[in-house]
Amino acid sequence: MDFEYLFQLLCGGLVKGSIYALIALGYTMVYGIIQLINFAHGEVYMIGAFVALIISGVATLSGYSGLSVLIVAAVVAAIYAAAYGFTLEKIAYRPLRGAPRLSPLISAIGASIFLMNYVQLAQTPDFLPFPELVPEFEFMEPLLQYVSSVDMVILVMTALTMVALTVLIKYTKIGKAMRATQQDQVMARLVGINVDRVISATFVIGSVLAAIGGVLIASRTGQINSAIGFMAGIKAFTAAVLGGIGNIPGAVLGGLVLGVAETLGAGYISSAYEDVFAFGLLVLILILRPAGLLGKAVKQKV
């Protein structure tokens, strides 16, 4: 066995899985609190990438380049995506909170289609080049045959983001309110928690994570278009279900497992069946463990 080739595939899979994990966290946070699959989440990821493209393009024309431009573009994209997430929850989901569960699901699909076509009309359906903003780091020279500087930035930023999210959920006031709302919305209201504000904050945080993922993957692939959010959203949703929908560590684990499985399958069998490996793994896990890798089976009272 060529261990060097295997290590290279594993590194690529971890990078891809990190992006899936960032987007999957938004899915699983929203589902954990209001049991809603936000199918417009992938389009927020796509919008974040387009905002970063515009910011980096303006910076490049102004003579600026490098990692600092990527950071500024990511921050602006995160703020812009947060506004979209807040607006989506306010317009598409909050009025339907007491409706049958199928109604918000249809609303989510409609919001996804609307945002995709909105960006397509506002920009272009064609692929647009994304500038190279991450320089090659000299200290990484021994590793460059396995991972690029962009990959290293993705892994580091993903790790930092996940640590920050964990601290937020466990130790901050809004994080404790999120956990209380997830357990019981009625009791949360009775103890003075503004449930509507908590749900809006959840959408905002999830949108920020999606935007960061969009900026990172755009800087890696070097191109974006208005359709990138659809498949990324489906894969991230798959990762969330794989790890256990509603479980934050499960979303991270599901994303990493999915990314590695896709890369190994593409590397050793065929890249044409990359999606088959992803969804085949999901089916297998759900047959053997329906609640997902870290999910817990919920007992329903009859």
Side-chain angles (χ1 to χ4, degrees):
M1 179 181 289
D2 189 345
F3 289 100
E4 185 174 339
Y5 180 62
L6 174 61
F7 183 71
Q8 187 175 6
L9 289 177
L10 288 175
C11 290
L14 289 175
V15 172
K16 181 182 290 188
S18 297
I19 299 298
Y20 290 158
L22 277 176
I23 310 172
L25 284 169
Y27 275 112
T28 208
M29 287 174 65
V30 169
Y31 183 86
I33 290 182
I34 59 175
Q35 284 71 56
L36 168 70
I37 303 299
N38 178 19
F39 281 113
H41 194 60
E43 272 54 57
V44 175
Y45 155 92
M46 175 266 296
I47 288 172
F50 266 96
V51 172
L53 173 64
I54 294 171
I55 297 299
S56 58
V58 172
T60 301
L61 291 175
S62 302
Y64 298 97
S65 62
L67 191 59
S68 59
V69 173
L70 181 65
I71 294 173
V72 172
V75 171
V76 175
I79 295 172
Y80 204 82
Y84 266 89
F86 178 83
T87 305
L88 272 174
E89 192 277 328
K90 193 90 170 177
I91 296 176
Y93 303 135
R94 185 176 298 185
L96 300 173
R97 197 170 295 165
R101 297 187 66 175
L102 188 60
S103 299
L105 181 63
I106 294 173
S107 180
I109 295 173
S112 172
I113 296 172
F114 171 79
L115 289 176
M116 183 190 301
N117 285 275
Y118 157 68
V119 174
Q120 183 174 321
L121 292 173
Q123 299 295 327
T124 173
D126 301 325
F127 276 95
L128 297 174
F130 197 93
E132 295 182 8
L133 298 175
V134 181
E136 295 295 338
F137 302 127
E138 294 182 1
F139 68 88
M140 279 186 54
E141 189 170 349
L143 295 174
L144 289 180
Q145 57 181 323
Y146 305 113
V147 293
S148 65
S149 295
V150 177
D151 292 341
M152 186 59 67
V153 170
I154 289 174
L155 291 173
V156 170
M157 289 191 68
T158 300
L160 291 176
T161 301
M162 291 176 184
V163 170
L165 179 62
T166 301
V167 172
L168 175 74
I169 296 296
K170 285 190 174 183
Y171 302 109
T172 66
K173 185 176 180 180
I174 185 65
K176 293 176 182 177
M178 286 179 181
R179 284 185 283 146
T181 303
Q182 179 180 12
Q183 292 176 5
D184 193 320
Q185 289 190 24
V186 175
M187 287 302 298
R189 291 181 190 275
L190 289 176
V191 298
I193 295 175
N194 189 327
V195 171
D196 290 336
R197 185 178 298 173
V198 170
I199 294 174
S200 293
T202 304
F203 273 85
V204 166
I205 294 171
S207 298
V208 167
L209 296 177
I212 293 174
V215 175
L216 293 176
I217 198 65
S219 64
R220 185 173 189 254
T221 60
Q223 59 179 5
I224 60 172
N225 78 340
S226 58
I228 63 171
F230 175 76
M231 185 53 70
I234 294 296
K235 291 289 184 68
F237 173 64
T238 302
V241 174
L242 187 64
I245 190 73
N247 187 302
I248 289 179
V252 177
L253 178 61
L256 296 178
V257 170
L258 185 65
V260 170
E262 280 188 1
T263 305
L264 290 178
Y268 283 110
I269 301 177
S270 172
S271 59
Y273 298 102
E274 185 177 78
D275 295 339
V276 175
F277 302 134
F279 297 116
L281 176 64
L282 175 66
V283 171
L284 179 63
I285 292 294
L286 291 181
I287 291 174
L288 299 176
R289 190 175 175 82
L293 295 173
L294 297 184
K296 295 181 181 179
V298 179
K299 295 181 180 180
Q300 294 184 350
K301 296 181 180 181
V302 180

